[in-house]
Every structure is written in C-alpha cells, then in structure tokens.
C-alpha cells in the first residue's frame, strides 16, 4: 500500500512537541496534540474544578496551544493554523489514535516510559500507521523491543531540530526492522511535504548533528581553558568569519541552554569509552554554572550577562563576569579581506598567531573525529556534511571544510603533530584523491571510501549557481542575469548588493520580458540570495534627491512603474518567487505577477513610509487592485473600507511574518502558492509557469478601477489625524499619510469614480517625488542607510 499522511498525532506538548504540531499545521495537516493528565492545581481547585473536568485533563496541551500564540520566533506561520490542532490527553483520547496516519512521540527521555507508551500505541494504531520518536539520543532499536512485527516495520526515529518550523534538518533513523518502503516514504515526505533537508542517520548516540556538533563545542571549551582564551575571544573568531552562525560558540550554547547541552553531552559520555568518552566529559565549571541556574538566554545569564546595553562574559576560572573581549590577530584582519568562507578559513588555520592556533586546534580534531565516524553514524560524508549545515547552520560541513583548507597539506601537519589519521582519509590519499568532493562533467561527486559517487539530489532542487556554471546565461548586466531553465521557461536572477533594485536590474527585467515574449513560454523571477529583494537602491535615490535631480528621479520612477506594468500585461506568464525579505520595490515587483510562488518564510511588505516616502513603483495601485480582486464575486465592495485597509497596511509598513501571512495581508491572492521547501521553490515556480502556458495563458485586460474618492480620503485622514493628536505619529508622518491617502482615494473625485491605472500611477509618482524632495524624508533615508533602522523625526 502506498503510504500517505492525511492526519497526525503528536504525543508530548512541551516546546519540541508543540513546535512539531505547529509545523504540521503549517503544512495543512490536522494534528492531535496529546499529553498526560496532570494533577489538579490549587488554582483549578479554587475555581471549583474537579479532576474529571476536560479543562483540567487537557490542561498541558491547551496550555501549549496558548503558548504558541505568544512564542517568538512564532511556531505558527499563521494564527489561523491553530484551528488544525486538537488538544487532548493520553487517557481519554488514546483510542482516537486508531484513525491517525502518523504518530510522533516527543515525551520525556526515559526508555521505560517510552516503551510503556509504545505498548499502548501498538494496541490501537491502524495497520499502516507510521510511528516515530523525536528522541535526540535514546536507541531507536531499544524502544521497539517487544513490539509487534507490524509496529516494528512502521517504526523509526524522526529527529527534528528546534525550532521545527525554521531549522532545516530532519534526521531519519531506521531500525533493522523498519521496512524500506516506510523509510523511503518518510525521506520523500520529509523533503517534499515537511520542507526539510533529510539525512538518514544510524542508531548511535546523538545521531549525526548532535554527535559532531557537541564534540566540536567540547573541543572548543577545552582549548579555551587550556590556552587561556576568553569566552568573547573565542566567539569573535568562531562565528561568521569561519562560516558559522553569528552566535558562534558560547552565544549558541546560551541560546540552546546549558542544561540541555550538558544532557546531550552526557548522553554520549555514558555510551562510549576510552579517549572519546573523556572528550564528552562535561567540564566542572559548566556543571557549576548549571547548578547555579546560569543556563543561558532562558535564565538571562550564562556565558554572557547583559545589563542594560553592557554585555559581559564569564571567566571559567573564577565564574566572575568582565567586559566582553575580542581576539585581535593579524590573520583575523587578513581573513576579512578574503572572498568566501574557503579563502577565510585557509588564511586563518595556517596563520602563526593566536587566532590561527585556536582555529587549527579546534578544527583538526573535529575533522578527524568526523572522518572516524563515517560508516558508524552515517553511511556517507554527504549526510554528515548536510547534518552540520542544516542542523547547526555551518556554511560548510566538515569534509567541505577539509577540502577548503587542503586535505594533503592539513594531513601532513596533523601527522607532524602526532595525530592519528583515520583510515577513511588515508584511503582517499592512497587512491590519489586530493579532495572529498569533485566536479566531473557538470556533476558533483563525493568520495565513498573506495571511489567517487554522484551526490544524490532531489530532482526538485535547482541550484542557480551550478546551473549557470553548466548552462551559461542568455544575457546579463551588473545587476541581473537571464537564464534558460529548460522546457521553454527563462529565469531572471538579481545579483546586485542585497538584491536591491537599481536601473541595471530594471533594464535587465525590461529586456528579459521582450526576450521571453519572443522566444519562451514564460518567465520566472527568482534568486537564491539571503533575501529576494530589500527594495529600491535607496542610496542612489538619496544622492539624486540631494543633488536636486528631480528630472532624473522622475525618469527612474516612471521606468520602474512602466516595467512593473509590463510584468502584469506580459503576453507570456510571469511567475515571481519571493523569499526572505521582500520589501518595498521587491514587493512591488511581486504584486503584478500572473502567479506568486512564495516561500513559507516570505517577509513581504511595502515599507517606504519608514524612510519618509510612499511606494513609487506601482505598489499602491497593485495592492489596492489585489485587495479588490480578493473580494467575493457579485458583491459590490465598500471602496472606503478597501482603501482604508490598504492604507493601514502601507502606512504602518506592515511586513508579513510568513508566506501565509502575506496572503492574509492581500499580497498573495487565493490562486498564489507557498512552497514549504525553499530548495524546491524555483522548481515549483517553473511548474506554475508551464501550467499557465499550457492552459493558454492570456494577460488580464486593462480595466479601470473604482476608487473611494473624497469620502475615502476623509476617512483615511480622520484615522491619521487621530493618531497625530494622540502623539503616535509626528508632523512628518502625517504629511506622508496625507499623500498616501490622496493616492489610494484616487484624488478628490466622487465616491465610486472609475479611474484608469495610469491615472493612479501618475498620482503615486507625483506624491513620491514631492516627498523625496522633503528634507525630513532625506534625513530618514540617510539614517536608514547609516544606522539600518528607521528615524522618527
């Protein structure tokens, strides 16, 4: 039977269990969240409740649901998704598990308690239901002992990383009895539906991510203590400088929680022996910190202590705090000049100074340890590398790091220092190999201990960098490239700084639309930068405004508006695939598309009021029209209400916190889609463009829009003036609000007047140009460029 998951149950409503339930709800799967029946609390007693009340019996799961609405970062992509989660308890609702396709256990890390639960599940689960554990360290085999054959075939580990909505890694751990069909299904389901990067791990302590990650952290701790580095010094060189998260080593531990880290380390310590066991022994000072309740971010004190704006770091010897320090060394300055992680690493690890020594002494043992574990914790190096990239936010996994610093050169140094080189590494060098990965005929290969094999890739993953290396580009300029995606679809990719939209990007877009009209079936606008686009090139707009080049600015704004309308009325479908920050001009480019293929993490908004302006690239009319199009058919909308809604979204610079929320803010329509897996977004966008083309796509007819006119303008102004009188907004904010209201109302015309798009675009352009000339708006733009945050003047 082909497996499918239409509904699920999560057992255990703690941070992790509720996070997994929220993620399932985010992808549209109805889920039961069950927990134990708690004791009657004093508060409940006082309210006259008794132990039999459902409110009491479901308190833990109900509490978790309330918590989801307050948690930051938000586990739910939309508050509406809460409706898909049903709270319950393990006594009253156990028999409901018979209707569920996937049961996920996320309870206390205790083998006996887990086994007792599985015995109950075994009696109620339906024949093809999959059961999995989110344990981070208990043996999956041991949990399945004593269960029925059907249970064992459908049982495996599914280890999510916290928070489940945001962290990409999902470790899937089969037992010897797990059926291949179930394993293959869960890998595919994990990638395609849950949107995760899936690695298959072996049933060993802490699996892949936590095994290597914890080892690396403990080696760093020891190095710091043995050689007298400070906490801040270590963090200043183990973060973004070497392609690791900004939180580096000790701030990461503070975020994870020192108690959690000690528990994870003890897990390996208890199950290993010899030298390895010693590495996983928790240093005494760390145990003392946990004993003191200094657990990191959750107790507001750990390796760091923040008082006001002052951040101080702990001294492991004395457990006293002093101001945070940074490691100063020549190699650090040299590394900053290098391009890319590989260049920075090479400069640092071979440097003969304190930074070089520290990084070499952390990296060398971690690389050796990773190589020793090939075959033991995972079948191949790709799984280990992906585990560290997706679970710990490393830019490069251990074997990619090894390639970056040079395998041969580093091994020679390791041998000189008397370090043991794992057989796996020797087999690479003996075979004449120089790196763990290599490219041949446009295909990426990895070393498997004997030879090179192709790196497995889901066919829905399109990597634009590799695609361009193999297939070249159709045309390009300094801001963007047009790429042939195959099957008659072209793709426009921006590569300006921050993917900001300057004249070069707009020119390239204009040319691309012409090229697609002639030779292609459709166009996808997408990129794989950190953000889709942070909007128009603000620095350039400010320079032109300060030089009083209003003619030049008007030409630029007109060109931007015209090109956005060209997207809307293109005879071939244009699909825009926004992700990350999609603000200002980035949102304006998305709104006119024939189809929007957003990512689950799309933060979209028209934020121009924050820099003293209003949208100038057609954003006002596009959002107004999109909001009207979302109204039910056959019912005449209240244009004052519609204008007020759009006014609020733009005036308050509202930014959606997910793709789904972008839909709630009317940036996405009912027919637009959200890709859960960011790696599949371009594939999904291409399929959408092909589907539109094959359905005989016709652009929308140019129609007039009805506006709210004078009554709408008055209503919007009353709101803004009320906020001004209450001191919520400044005089300049009010001036911006008046201009915005005038544009959205369609000027001072009667209610319900039909106006054409160009009329509204002209109003928008005039308002934009009058605001850009205002000294206070220029101060706001300057402040944003220098400080990166809005100025309230």
């Amino acid at each position: 039977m082909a497996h499918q998951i239409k509904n699920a149950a999560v057992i255990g409503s703690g941070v992790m269990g509720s996070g997994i339930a929220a993620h399932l709800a985010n992808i549209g799967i109805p889920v039961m969240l069950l927990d134990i029946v708690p004791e009657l609390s004093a508060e409940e007693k006082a309210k006259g409740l008794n132990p039999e009340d459902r409110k009491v019996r479901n308190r833990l799961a109900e509490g978790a649901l309330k918590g989801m609405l307050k948690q930051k970062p938000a586990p739910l992509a939309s508050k509406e998704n809460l409706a898909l989660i049903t709270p319950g308890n393990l006594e009253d609702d156990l028999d409901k598990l018979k209707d569920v396709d996937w049961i996920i256990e996320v309870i206390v890390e205790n083998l006996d308690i887990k086994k007792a639960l599985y015995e109950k599940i075994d009696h109620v689960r339906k024949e093809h239901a999959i059961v999995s554990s989110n344990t981070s360290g208990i043996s999956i085999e041991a949990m399945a002992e004593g269960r029925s054959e059907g249970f064992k075939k459908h049982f495996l580990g599914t280890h999510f990383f916290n928070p489940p909505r945001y962290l990409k890694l999902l470790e899937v751990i089969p037992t010897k009895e797990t059926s291949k069909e179930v394993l293959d299904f869960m890998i595919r389901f994990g990638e395609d539906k849950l949107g995760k990067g899936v690695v298959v791990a072996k049933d060993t302590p802490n699996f892949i991510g936590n095994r290597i990650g914890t080892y690396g952290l403990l080696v760093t701790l020891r190095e710091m203590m043995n050689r007298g580095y400070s906490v801040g010094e270590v963090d200043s060189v183990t973060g973004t400088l070497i392609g690791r998260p900004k939180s580096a080593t000790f701030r990461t531990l503070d975020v994870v929680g020192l108690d959690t880290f000690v528990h994870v380390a003890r897990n390996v310590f208890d199950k290993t022996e010899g030298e390895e066991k010693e590495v996983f022994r928790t240093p005494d000072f760390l145990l003392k910190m946990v004993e003191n309740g200094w657990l990191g971010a959750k107790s507001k004190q750990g390796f760091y202590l923040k008082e006001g704006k002052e951040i101080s770091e702990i001294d492991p010897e004395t457990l006293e705090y002093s101001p945070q320090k940074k490691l100063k060394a020549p190699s650090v300055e040299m590394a900053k000049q290098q391009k890319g992680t590989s260049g920075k690493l090479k400069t640092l690890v071979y440097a003969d100074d304190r930074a070089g020594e520290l990084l070499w002494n952390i990296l060398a043992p971690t690389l050796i340890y990773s190589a020793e574990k090939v075959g033991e914790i995972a079948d191949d190096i790709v799984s280990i590398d992906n585990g560290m990239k997706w679970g710990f936010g490393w830019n490069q996994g251990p074997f990619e790091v090894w390639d970056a610093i040079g395998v041969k050169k580093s091994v020679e140094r390791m041998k000189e220092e008397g370090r043991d080189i794992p057989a796996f590494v020797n087999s690479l060098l003996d075979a004449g190999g120089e790196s763990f990965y290599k490219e041949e005929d446009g295909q990426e290969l990895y070393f498997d201990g004997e030879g090179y094999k192709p790196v497995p890739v889901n066919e829905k993953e399109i990597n634009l960098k590799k695609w361009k290396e193999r297939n070249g580009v159709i045309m390009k300029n300094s801001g963007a490239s047009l790429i042939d995606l195959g099957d008659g679809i072209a793709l426009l990719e921006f590569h300006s700084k921050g993917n900001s939209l300057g004249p070069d990007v707009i020119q390239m877009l204009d040319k691309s639309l012409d090229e697609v009209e002639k030779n292609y079936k459709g166009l996808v606008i997408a990129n794989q930068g950190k953000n889709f686009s942070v909007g128009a090139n603000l620095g350039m707009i400010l320079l032109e405004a300060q030089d009083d080049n209003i003619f030049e600015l008007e030409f630029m704004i007109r060109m931007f508006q015209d090109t956005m309308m060209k997207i809307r009325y293109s005879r071939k479908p244009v699909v825009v695939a926004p992700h990350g920050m999609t603000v200002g001009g980035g949102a304006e480019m998305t709104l006119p598309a024939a189809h929007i293929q957003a990512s689950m993490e799309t933060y979209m908004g028209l934020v121009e009021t924050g820099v003293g302006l209003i949208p100038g690239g057609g954003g006002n009319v596009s959002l107004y029209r999109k909001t009207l199009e979302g109204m039910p058919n056959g019912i005449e909308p209240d244009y004052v209400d519609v204008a007020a809604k759009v006014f609020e979204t733009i005036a308050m610079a509202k930014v959606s916190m997910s793709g789904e929320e972008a839909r709630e803010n009317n940036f996405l329509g009912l027919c637009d889609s959200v890709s859960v897996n960011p790696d599949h977004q371009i594939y999904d966008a291409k399929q959408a463009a092909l589907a539109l083309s094959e359905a005989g796509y016709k652009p929308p007819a140019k129609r007039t829009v009805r506006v709210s006119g004078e009554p709408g303008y008055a209503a919007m102004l009353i709101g803004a003036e009320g906020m001004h009188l209450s001191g919520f907004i400044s005089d300049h904010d009010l001036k911006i609000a008046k201009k915005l209201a005038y544009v959205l109302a369609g000027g001072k015309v009667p209610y319900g007047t039909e106006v054409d798009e160009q009329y509204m675009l002209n109003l928008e352009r005039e308002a934009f140009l009058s605001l850009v000339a205002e000294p206070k708006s220029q101060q706001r733009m300057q402040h944003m460029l220098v400080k990166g945050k809005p100025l309230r003047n």
Side-chain angles (χ1 to χ4, degrees):
M1 170 190 162
H3 283 282
Q4 49 183 337
I5 292 174
K6 291 185 188 158
N7 52 18
V10 174
I11 301 176
S13 65
V15 173
M16 204 66 203
S18 59
I20 294 169
H23 188 62
L24 290 170
N26 288 337
I27 61 168
I29 291 181
V31 57
M32 275 196 298
L33 182 60
L34 308 181
D35 213 317
I36 56 170
V37 174
E39 301 272 318
L40 187 69
S41 71
E43 201 180 322
E44 287 164 335
K45 220 178 217 168
K47 284 184 185 165
L49 295 172
N50 68 54
E52 293 313 305
D53 281 311
R54 272 302 271 198
K55 241 186 182 154
V56 174
R57 297 174 74 76
N58 289 353
R59 178 183 359 118
L60 297 178
E62 295 267 12
L65 261 59
K66 284 189 192 119
M68 283 178 198
L69 297 172
K70 296 180 197 151
Q71 240 171 292
K72 285 197 163 62
L76 293 164
S78 159
K79 287 178 178 162
E80 305 290 314
N81 295 344
L82 202 61
L84 286 167
I85 308 174
T86 308
N89 70 73
L90 274 170
E91 288 174 28
D92 305 329
D93 304 304
L94 188 74
D95 63 326
K96 291 181 186 163
L97 295 179
K98 70 179 188 300
D99 304 319
V100 169
D101 298 318
W102 182 21
I103 301 163
I104 311 157
E105 168 271 305
V106 200
I107 64 169
V108 60
E109 291 284 72
N110 175 307
L111 181 60
D112 294 334
I113 297 175
K114 286 181 191 285
K115 284 180 80 168
L117 173 65
Y118 290 138
E119 189 171 353
K120 289 177 186 167
I121 293 172
D122 204 349
H123 291 303
V124 291
R125 62 173 280 278
K126 62 180 176 185
E127 193 188 348
H128 293 287
I130 293 169
V131 183
S132 71
S133 173
N134 182 67
T135 181
S136 55
I138 291 182
S139 163
I140 309 294
E141 296 277 357
M143 285 190 239
E145 273 169 21
R147 297 284 48 82
S148 67
E149 195 185 331
F151 183 100
K152 287 179 175 176
K153 269 188 183 166
H154 292 84
F155 180 65
L156 70 172
T158 49
H159 181 220
F160 288 81
F161 274 58
N162 195 26
R165 170 181 160 188
Y166 302 94
L167 274 189
K168 185 173 174 177
L169 182 61
L170 174 65
E171 292 176 323
V172 172
I173 311 100
T175 70
K176 293 185 189 75
E177 311 275 339
T178 309
S179 91
K180 185 178 182 307
E181 188 196 346
V182 167
L183 176 63
D184 291 346
F185 169 78
M186 280 312 285
I187 293 168
R188 213 43 198 248
F189 180 81
E191 289 175 350
D192 292 354
K193 296 286 189 286
L194 294 170
K196 296 295 169 202
V198 177
V199 298
V200 178
K202 302 217 174 200
D203 189 14
T204 55
N206 287 2
F207 314 127
I208 299 172
N210 282 339
R211 184 75 171 264
I212 304 288
T214 308
Y215 182 92
L217 287 163
L218 285 164
V219 164
T220 308
L221 263 172
R222 294 233 150 68
E223 191 56 25
M224 170 183 81
M225 291 155 65
N226 294 344
R227 294 177 183 251
Y229 292 93
S230 89
V231 164
E233 283 182 326
V234 172
D235 271 1
S236 67
V237 292
T238 57
T240 49
L241 190 65
I242 62 163
R244 302 275 176 88
K246 201 159 84 183
S247 54
T249 303
F250 297 109
R251 200 170 295 290
T252 298
L253 285 175
D254 273 355
V255 171
V256 166
L258 272 51
D259 50 344
T260 306
F261 176 69
V262 165
H263 169 77
V264 172
R266 188 170 293 135
N267 206 7
V268 187
F269 178 79
D270 290 343
K271 290 170 191 158
T272 48
E273 46 204 36
E275 268 178 56
E276 185 176 5
K277 188 181 191 75
E278 277 315 299
V279 175
F280 284 92
R281 186 185 291 282
T282 307
D284 291 341
F285 86 88
L286 198 53
L287 294 173
K288 185 76 185 138
M289 286 172 75
V290 173
E291 203 181 297
N292 289 352
W294 302 348
L295 307 179
K298 57 186 162 190
S299 64
K300 303 200 170 17
Q301 177 174 3
F303 283 102
Y304 291 98
L305 177 64
K306 192 176 180 191
E307 293 167 307
K309 289 196 170 177
E310 289 302 305
I311 297 174
S312 33
E313 56 174 71
I314 202 162
D315 179 340
E317 296 288 331
T318 63
L319 293 194
E320 284 169 5
Y321 289 88
S322 59
Q324 191 181 349
K325 302 177 204 47
K326 278 188 175 174
L327 182 52
K328 292 186 171 40
S331 63
V332 172
E333 296 314 311
M334 279 160 65
K336 284 176 183 166
Q337 310 306 315
Q338 299 292 324
K339 269 193 175 170
T341 306
S342 297
K344 290 180 168 65
L345 270 172
K346 220 180 242 171
T347 304
L348 286 159
V349 292
Y350 296 120
D352 190 11
D353 60 22
R354 284 188 81 219
E357 276 173 34
L358 172 67
L359 288 169
W360 171 260
N361 287 327
I362 293 170
L363 279 176
T366 307
L367 298 182
I368 290 170
Y369 187 72
S370 303
E372 281 169 356
K373 295 295 155 209
V374 177
E376 183 186 326
I377 62 172
D379 280 330
D380 53 68
I381 64 171
V382 181
S383 301
I384 294 176
D385 278 347
N386 285 340
M388 298 319 297
K389 290 190 288 190
W390 299 340
F392 279 72
W394 295 11
N395 276 358
Q396 297 174 317
F399 297 94
E400 291 168 317
V401 166
W402 217 326
D403 282 354
I405 65 171
V407 182
K408 215 169 159 188
K409 184 177 178 180
S410 58
V411 168
E412 278 168 14
R413 180 168 169 187
M414 287 169 183
K415 282 180 175 168
E416 278 167 25
E417 293 173 351
R419 299 181 195 264
D420 288 335
I421 308 302
F424 182 78
V425 182
N426 285 327
S427 62
L428 171 81
L429 297 169
D430 293 345
E434 291 183 5
S435 60
F436 291 104
Y437 292 94
K438 64 177 183 179
E439 193 125 331
E440 239 170 53
D441 304 327
Q443 193 171 34
E444 197 183 4
L445 308 172
Y446 74 94
F447 183 69
D448 74 344
E450 289 170 8
Y452 286 90
K453 272 188 183 167
V455 172
V457 177
N458 185 317
E459 73 275 5
K460 294 182 182 175
E461 275 180 49
I462 296 172
N463 180 316
L464 290 181
K465 186 168 174 264
K466 288 179 181 163
W467 188 276
K468 285 189 295 188
E469 283 165 10
R470 285 202 289 271
N471 307 309
V473 297
I474 302 166
M475 53 182 173
K476 66 184 268 194
N477 66 14
S478 58
S481 302
L482 187 66
I483 303 160
D484 188 334
L485 261 194
D487 302 318
I489 301 297
L491 178 139
L492 179 76
E493 175 200 31
F494 327 138
H495 37 65
S496 50
K497 192 171 181 198
N499 287 338
S500 67
L501 307 174
D504 50 356
V505 175
I506 302 304
Q507 276 164 359
M508 197 66 207
L509 172 57
D510 188 53
K511 276 176 148 177
S512 300
L513 288 163
D514 292 340
E515 174 69 21
V516 168
E517 291 246 337
K518 281 202 247 46
N519 300 314
Y520 288 85
K521 292 180 184 173
L523 175 69
V524 169
I525 301 176
N527 63 69
Q528 288 173 325
K530 186 180 171 201
N531 296 306
F532 176 74
S533 174
V534 293
N537 185 331
L538 195 59
M540 196 175 61
I541 292 172
L542 180 61
L543 279 177
E544 299 291 356
Q546 285 171 335
D547 291 346
D548 226 5
N549 278 341
I550 297 301
F551 175 77
E552 184 71 28
L553 268 171
E554 179 171 26
F555 175 75
M556 270 165 55
I557 297 302
R558 195 184 286 272
M559 184 169 105
F560 193 11
Q561 287 182 338
D562 291 349
T563 313
M564 296 309 103
M565 289 306 113
K566 198 169 171 177
I567 291 176
R568 178 164 169 82
Y569 297 112
S570 162
R571 290 206 313 278
K572 301 289 175 72
V574 178
V575 176
V576 181
H579 69 276
M581 296 304 284
T582 302
V583 292
E588 291 182 289
M589 186 176 283
T590 306
L591 284 163
H595 180 84
I596 299 170
Q597 186 69 43
S599 148
M600 187 187 256
E601 301 309 326
T602 300
Y603 312 125
M604 196 186 292
L606 294 166
V607 296
E608 286 82 353
T609 56
V611 288
L613 304 171
I614 68 163
N620 303 287
V621 63
S622 288
L623 188 59
Y624 180 70
R625 190 184 45 232
K626 196 126 189 163
T627 306
L628 280 176
E629 285 166 358
M631 294 282 164
N633 275 344
I635 297 169
E636 182 71 11
D638 180 334
Y639 296 108
V640 173
D641 274 359
V642 175
K645 195 170 184 185
V646 177
F647 174 78
E648 189 186 331
T649 302
I650 300 175
M652 308 291 284
K654 280 188 183 174
V655 176
S656 72
M657 293 321 290
S658 68
E660 276 313 322
E661 214 173 274
R663 198 190 304 280
E664 288 160 23
N665 293 354
N666 296 308
F667 287 101
L668 268 61
L670 286 172
C671 300
D672 296 321
S673 315
V674 174
S675 294
V676 182
N677 191 326
D679 295 340
H680 299 179
Q681 190 186 7
I682 289 175
Y683 171 89
D684 294 342
K686 177 183 170 180
Q687 297 311 308
L690 280 169
L692 285 167
S693 169
E694 279 154 26
Y697 178 76
K698 297 262 184 310
K702 290 198 178 185
R703 288 199 185 98
T704 55
V705 287
R706 285 185 187 272
V707 291
S708 60
E710 287 196 84
Y713 180 62
M716 287 183 265
L717 235 54
I718 287 168
E721 280 170 345
M723 286 181 80
H724 181 240
L725 285 171
S726 319
F728 282 116
I729 62 173
S730 67
D731 292 352
H732 193 55
D733 289 324
L734 184 61
K735 184 178 267 186
I736 299 163
K738 282 180 175 170
K739 300 267 184 196
L740 177 63
Y742 190 78
V743 173
L744 290 172
K748 292 189 176 174
V749 294
Y751 175 86
T753 300
E754 290 192 33
V755 300
D756 67 19
E757 246 164 11
Q758 195 53 53
Y759 166 80
M760 283 191 83
L761 289 170
N762 293 345
L763 289 182
E764 173 185 274
R765 195 169 62 253
E766 283 159 25
F768 182 93
L769 292 168
S770 71
L771 284 168
V772 104
E774 290 273 349
K776 283 194 168 168
S777 288
Q778 292 179 13
Q779 283 168 13
R780 287 188 179 194
M781 289 153 78
Q782 178 86 38
H783 193 268
M784 179 58 85
L785 287 165
V786 176
K787 303 269 193 214
K789 50 182 180 227
L791 169 72
R792 299 304 302 271
N793 58 353

